[in-house]
Amino acid sequence: MAGKIVVLGTGGTIAGTAAQAGANVGYTAGQIGIEDLLAAVPALAGAARGPLVAEQLAQIDSKDMDFALWERLVDRCLVHLADPEVRGLVITHGTDTLEETAWLLASVLPAQDKPVVLTCAMRPATALAPDGPQNLLDAVTVAAHPQARGVLAVADGSVHGAREVAKLHPLRLDALHSADAGPLGSIEAGELRWAHGRAPEPMAPAHAALAARLGSLAWPRVAIVMSHAGADATVVDALLAAGVQGIVAAATGNGTLHQALEAGLERAVAGGVAVRVASRCPLGRMRAEPGARWSYAEGLSPVKARIGLMLDLMAQRAVARGC
């Protein structure tokens, strides 16, 4: 299916510049506009298989991602996904919170028929050998592929799913991984190759009804606390006093919690605060305990579990209001 590829720019290292020529670190993210990024990669015209359109949404370091930009990003994605002339979307993004944005988009966007591809870089555009141009070319290649669907992430020649992708290294070019699941595919010599010989089925968004309403709904305050040796409930009690509405506990191992922290979480539940437990372990999936006092993250990392809990609370609030 031919059509336009729309590239939405949000900043990130891929658009970063360093004062020292050729430096890989010590740069400022989000300095180069999306039009200039595209112009620097002439091969994009062929990879897009049609018109290539750019739209600048923000120019930030993704460590500073916030709800307002998420709302705008979702809104623009909805507009372009509904456009029959658009084949797919590419989003340039910083690596630090890419996995969170990917999971939010996968949770709300109706992207079962078109791809929404996030891409990034570990080196700024002014590095001696920047990785952004290749990642951008690969992302456009995936977005233009006739079998690509759903929310995906592309970096260092690999294609990852929104549920599995995570940043596992602070500096290497292959910082993004999919842990146990492995990548969904790879881009080799300009061609997309699916890992299992066929395109994966895109996930259905759990909260599609919220997509068009994020800007009109208040984001619930959901915090992450970590269980560790010597943990206590001080942070939990402070969060309760501050009016937190949800807590994700990053647990040890198979969902185990320090007894002092566990007692604090029990007080939170008794006070009407939603508690969800995720594992600190980057590999594997916890087994939910029968009769548990709280919900489990179903294999999501703590940061993705937080997004899931926020959306669940927003949906519950919308139902309670009858809207």
Side-chain angles (χ1 to χ4, degrees):
M1 180 176 66
K4 293 188 296 186
I5 301 297
V6 178
V7 185
L8 304 176
T10 69
T13 296
I14 193 170
T17 60
Q20 181 180 349
N24 291 342
V25 295
Y27 57 86
T28 302
Q31 299 302 295
I32 301 176
I34 191 62
E35 293 277 6
D36 290 335
L37 286 181
L38 298 184
V41 189
L44 289 173
R49 306 184 187 187
L52 194 63
V53 179
E55 184 176 331
Q56 191 81 56
L57 296 189
Q59 289 182 254
I60 67 165
D61 186 321
S62 78
K63 68 180 179 59
D64 297 319
M65 181 59 68
D66 57 25
F67 299 145
L69 181 50
W70 270 351
E71 291 166 6
R72 189 177 179 201
L73 181 58
V74 169
D75 180 67
R76 296 309 297 159
C77 286
L78 287 174
V79 169
H80 292 304
L81 287 172
D83 185 346
E85 295 186 0
V86 172
R87 168 67 191 96
L89 308 181
V90 171
I91 301 168
T92 58
H93 199 289
T95 58
D96 284 348
T97 57
L98 182 147
E99 62 201 84
E100 296 175 63
T101 298
W103 185 240
L104 172 74
L105 297 180
S107 298
V108 301
L109 289 182
Q112 294 97 316
D113 297 324
K114 297 179 182 180
V116 177
V117 184
L118 292 94
T119 194
C120 54
M122 290 299 294
R123 294 174 179 171
T126 53
L128 181 62
D131 54 323
Q134 185 66 59
N135 288 344
L136 184 55
L137 179 60
D138 290 346
V140 170
T141 298
V142 173
H145 195 279
Q147 296 177 344
R149 302 286 188 276
V151 179
L152 306 167
V154 170
D156 197 44
S158 295
V159 183
H160 303 277
R163 182 183 179 89
E164 296 83 8
V165 68
K167 184 176 181 179
L168 297 185
H169 198 281
L171 295 172
R172 286 193 330 216
L173 298 186
D174 64 342
L176 298 188
H177 284 263
S178 290
D180 287 340
L184 299 176
S186 59
I187 301 92
E188 300 169 358
E191 297 291 333
L192 171 59
R193 300 178 64 182
W194 298 114
H196 301 289
R198 55 183 173 81
E201 288 294 323
M203 61 172 279
H207 291 291
L210 294 177
R213 304 174 55 204
L214 290 179
S216 63
L217 297 172
W219 290 80
R221 186 175 180 185
V222 176
I224 300 174
V225 299
M226 181 176 287
S227 185
H228 51 79
D232 58 31
T234 302
V235 173
V236 172
D237 291 337
L239 289 170
L240 295 180
V244 74
Q245 295 160 287
I247 296 174
V248 172
T252 46
N254 189 46
T256 54
L257 297 162
H258 190 287
Q259 58 185 357
L261 176 60
E262 187 171 17
L265 294 174
E266 289 173 344
R267 291 195 293 276
V269 171
V273 173
V275 172
R276 187 159 295 172
V277 174
S279 179
R280 287 173 19 182
C281 299
L283 301 177
R285 179 178 292 199
M286 297 184 312
R287 294 180 63 254
E289 297 295 331
R293 291 152 290 180
W294 29 67
S295 63
Y296 286 83
E298 298 182 350
L300 293 176
S301 66
V303 293
K304 291 181 182 178
R306 173 178 173 265
I307 291 169
L309 183 52
M310 285 193 294
L311 293 175
D312 286 348
L313 291 173
M314 292 170 84
Q316 291 169 15
R317 185 182 302 158
V319 170
R321 292 176 178 174
C323 55

